[in-house]
Amino acid sequence: MIIAIDGPAGSGKSSTAREVARRLGFLHLDSGALYRAFAYVACRHGWDEMTGPAAESRVQELADAAITASSAGGRLTVELDDQPIGDEELRTPRVTACASKVSAFPPIRDRVNELLRGLAAGFAGGTVTEGRDMGTVVFPGAELKVYMMAAPEVRAARRLAERAGGGGAGEVSEASIRAESARLVARDLADSERAVAPLRPASDAKLIDTSYLGFEEQVERVVVLARAHLDTG
Ligand code: DC
């Protein structure tokens, strides 16, 4: 069984996908981590912008980078030249900004999609996969598709609290929430207006607005939908 969870940054899809996978004993695939791995390589070359006349040749070189992925222990590990790339390296602001650019190029998307499909096919059990186009492009036949969303200021507050390391959203200033919210909206716009695999819900996705949901409720909604499928399937 494949559960495809899509949605914008901060919608709660990553933490939900991880916990749903844990409860069901499924493999968890974070497709964003793969885009970040290609962005990480681009940054090492100093190709942060990926624009201008040189971009096309860089894209091909980037798509050919020795990025691999494995799913030992039901968890995705992304490697460069057979060495795992750590979460700290994949989640710097520089790599985050570059990942949005890198993910607009079809040769990079093809590599990521190929890695994701290979991992899901090679895993004996079910898979929870999350990103922007899991239900629309990569796994159109997924048995369960979920699209998670939340108001931009809610998503911004969550992200800032997360970065502050466990502090509540109440400790984050209004001004920083507004600034982060504007960044998120700009990134959503870039992700949803791009020509290839834009961010949007699949026509058969279940929509979950997490603005006023707690973490446990988000997880429970997806688990209930998944169990309903497993029981009838
Ligand atoms: O979910 P994230 O923030 O880790 O994703 C990093 C970038 O990769 C983000 O700009 C959107 C892009 N992405 C994508 O285009 N398609 C996906 N399936 C997942 C992520």
Side-chain angles (χ1 to χ4, degrees):
M1 177 182 186
I2 303 246
I3 303 177
I5 305 183
D6 290 306
S11 59
K13 66 181 187 314
S14 292
S15 50
T16 302
R18 191 175 312 115
E19 181 58 15
V20 168
R22 195 189 67 76
R23 289 194 194 173
L24 298 175
F26 281 20
L27 168 66
H28 169 222
L29 293 180
D30 168 8
S31 59
L34 289 167
Y35 286 105
R36 286 169 181 273
F38 284 95
Y40 170 73
V41 176
C43 289
R44 283 182 25 147
H45 287 295
W47 298 344
D48 296 51
E49 291 308 320
M50 295 297 288
T51 50
E56 284 308 310
S57 60
R58 287 171 177 175
V59 168
Q60 205 43 59
E61 193 175 331
L62 200 55
D64 292 337
I67 300 280
T68 49
S70 65
S71 61
R75 198 176 168 275
L76 174 70
T77 305
V78 187
E79 299 129 0
L80 172 63
D81 294 322
D82 295 325
Q83 296 303 314
I85 314 176
D87 239 25
E88 328 69 64
E89 288 151 315
L90 294 180
R91 295 189 190 276
T92 63
R94 184 177 171 194
V95 167
T96 300
C98 187
S100 189
K101 295 180 180 131
V102 157
S103 63
F105 294 101
I108 308 289
R109 301 204 73 85
D110 291 346
R111 277 291 316 281
V112 168
N113 296 351
E114 186 191 335
L115 288 165
L116 291 167
R117 291 181 185 127
L119 287 162
F123 191 73
T127 297
V128 182
T129 181
E130 41 127 340
R132 307 293 191 284
D133 61 342
M134 298 299 99
T136 49
V137 175
V138 190
F139 298 103
E143 284 80 0
L144 173 60
K145 298 180 187 175
V146 173
Y147 190 86
M148 298 181 89
M149 62 220 170
E153 48 295 351
V154 173
R155 296 192 279 128
R158 280 183 192 156
R159 293 224 120 186
L160 293 170
E162 220 173 80
R163 256 178 244 157
E171 292 163 36
V172 176
S173 78
E174 289 278 325
S176 58
I177 290 178
R178 268 199 305 276
E180 179 66 10
S181 174
R183 272 195 292 275
L184 284 177
V185 168
R187 197 143 76 89
D188 292 353
L189 201 68
D191 289 342
S192 56
E193 287 192 336
R194 68 179 174 219
V196 198
L199 168 68
R200 62 177 172 79
S203 57
D204 50 349
K206 308 266 191 262
L207 305 185
I208 302 182
D209 186 336
T210 68
S211 301
Y212 303 104
L213 291 183
F215 178 64
E216 182 56 33
E217 287 171 295
Q218 294 168 32
V219 172
E220 202 40 39
R221 287 201 187 186
V222 182
V223 168
V224 164
L225 290 168
R227 293 230 158 94
H229 177 85
L230 289 168
D231 290 345
T232 56

